[in-house]
Amino acid sequence: YRGKSADTADTLEAMFTTARPVLLLLALNATATAFTVKTPSSRWTAVGGSLRGERLRASEYFTEDDESFPSDSGDPPIDDTSGTYAVDPLLKSDLLTVVAGLNRGFNAREDERSLVVALAEQLEASQATSTGACKGFGTPDGSVAAGEWRLVFTTALDVLAIGVNPLVEVGQIYQNIDSTGEEVVNVIEVQPKFAALANPLVGSSLSKLRVYASATIEDDRRIRIAFKRVEAEAISILGFDLTTFLPPAIQMIGLDIPSAVRGDNGDPSQSAGYFSVTFCDDDLRVSRSNNGDLFILVRA
């Protein structure tokens, strides 16, 4: 695209300049969790320093002739030595099959949401007394929770609220946890609301919102986070790759979040925001925010 005329570049630059305030507002909306602290969900509580969920069956929510649920994983066997439940080999596949049609939770009915929560709680119970996934950050062996994760379901209203924005369509949502455990980056892809119609005709328009947070590993399950910066980057407009010919100062806008706004008195480890990793293996992670919201992610 470097061969495009100056007029084309000027036009695209003007289009992005006009859209910059909208992108920044969307990016700021993505930081809402940092400034809200609520009572954790009553569906999970700390027991002996570990997180333990109420064991519920999928069959409580779906009848035997309901074809929308692929299989009933049933009650997982009890581990007599730990008092928790072994991971059912069908449980993960059941959970991922259910969430596949719910568009990250944007399209979930109440009964579907209840089913996902019940399945997630069975997974949480299976690791309630084992060593948490946050152990190992900054070591040669590393932590299984580190790396890039893609969101497949959430109950968090601050995330779901982005989906009702009349201007944008929410694309993929990622969370990147640094191998040292010192930084967490949330990435949200957004497109115009008419993207499904416009993309095949005039090419895609894509932007990415990034929210950077300082992270503190509190124990083997909990990561405390303090949001420090928000950025909005235009990737393409009407099929034109903006990264190839627009200067970074125009293509990307950012805003540092003052400690006074974060409410941590300049010490990120004192931030009110955190999330707990309640289940994690090589390809699936279940987390709970300080608000009690559920996040289910798969390895990207």
Side-chain angles (χ1 to χ4, degrees):
Y1 295 111
R2 296 185 182 276
K4 296 290 183 180
S5 68
D7 289 342
T8 301
D10 290 343
T11 300
L12 292 172
E13 181 176 330
M15 292 173 62
F16 178 61
T17 301
T18 302
R20 289 177 70 182
V22 176
L23 291 174
L24 186 56
L25 285 174
L26 289 170
L28 287 172
N29 181 68
T31 67
T33 304
F35 315 122
T36 306
V37 181
K38 301 178 182 177
T39 302
S41 170
S42 61
R43 297 183 66 85
W44 61 290
T45 55
V47 178
S50 299
L51 296 174
R52 189 185 300 271
E54 177 188 0
R55 182 164 55 104
L56 300 174
R57 290 176 59 96
S59 56
E60 296 180 22
Y61 299 98
F62 283 77
T63 61
E64 293 182 359
D65 58 352
D66 194 327
E67 297 180 355
S68 63
F69 187 64
S71 65
D72 185 357
S73 55
D75 290 328
I78 297 178
D79 183 344
D80 293 332
T81 61
S82 67
T84 61
Y85 304 98
V87 179
D88 189 317
L90 293 178
L91 187 54
K92 284 174 55 179
S93 62
D94 284 348
L95 176 61
L96 293 175
T97 300
V98 171
V99 302
L102 302 182
N103 188 20
R104 281 76 53 84
F106 293 115
N107 300 338
R109 302 190 312 265
E110 182 59 33
D111 60 336
E112 293 170 328
R113 187 179 298 108
S114 296
L115 173 59
V116 173
V117 171
L119 293 172
E121 286 174 344
Q122 290 191 41
L123 283 175
E124 290 171 324
S126 71
Q127 290 188 347
T129 61
S130 61
T131 301
C134 295
K135 184 177 182 179
F137 277 106
T139 67
D141 292 336
S143 167
V144 68
E148 184 177 30
W149 298 87
R150 178 171 57 86
L151 183 71
V152 294
F153 183 85
T154 185
T155 61
L157 292 181
D158 60 324
V159 176
L160 298 177
I162 304 176
V164 299
N165 189 298
L167 300 176
V168 300
E169 189 75 33
V170 181
Q172 299 295 345
I173 301 176
Y174 298 94
Q175 184 175 76
N176 303 318
I177 305 179
D178 184 72
S179 61
T180 64
E182 296 178 353
E183 184 176 69
V184 175
V185 183
N186 296 332
V187 181
I188 303 174
E189 296 180 349
V190 294
Q191 292 185 303
K193 206 68 174 180
F194 55 83
L197 176 63
N199 287 356
L201 299 177
V202 297
S204 66
S205 298
L206 176 67
S207 296
K208 289 185 178 182
L209 311 178
R210 295 184 180 89
V211 182
Y212 295 83
S214 298
T216 303
I217 308 300
E218 291 199 332
D219 54 38
D220 65 353
R221 295 182 187 276
R222 178 178 291 185
I223 302 178
R224 189 164 295 277
I225 54 175
F227 292 113
K228 59 183 179 179
R229 181 173 174 80
V230 58
E231 292 180 349
E233 178 185 13
I235 305 300
S236 63
I237 291 182
L238 302 180
F240 291 94
D241 185 356
L242 299 179
T243 64
T244 60
F245 62 88
L246 279 186
I250 295 177
Q251 181 200 352
M252 181 183 298
I253 54 177
L255 177 67
D256 291 327
I257 303 174
S259 61
V261 176
R262 297 197 306 262
D264 58 15
N265 297 318
D267 182 1
S269 67
Q270 301 302 311
S271 170
Y274 65 83
F275 65 88
S276 298
V277 180
T278 53
F279 175 89
C280 191
D281 62 14
D282 289 336
D283 51 22
L284 178 66
R285 194 183 101 211
V286 178
S287 294
R288 302 272 185 167
S289 73
N290 56 288
N291 299 335
D293 295 321
L294 174 68
F295 295 84
I296 300 175
L297 308 97
V298 295
R299 183 81 66 178

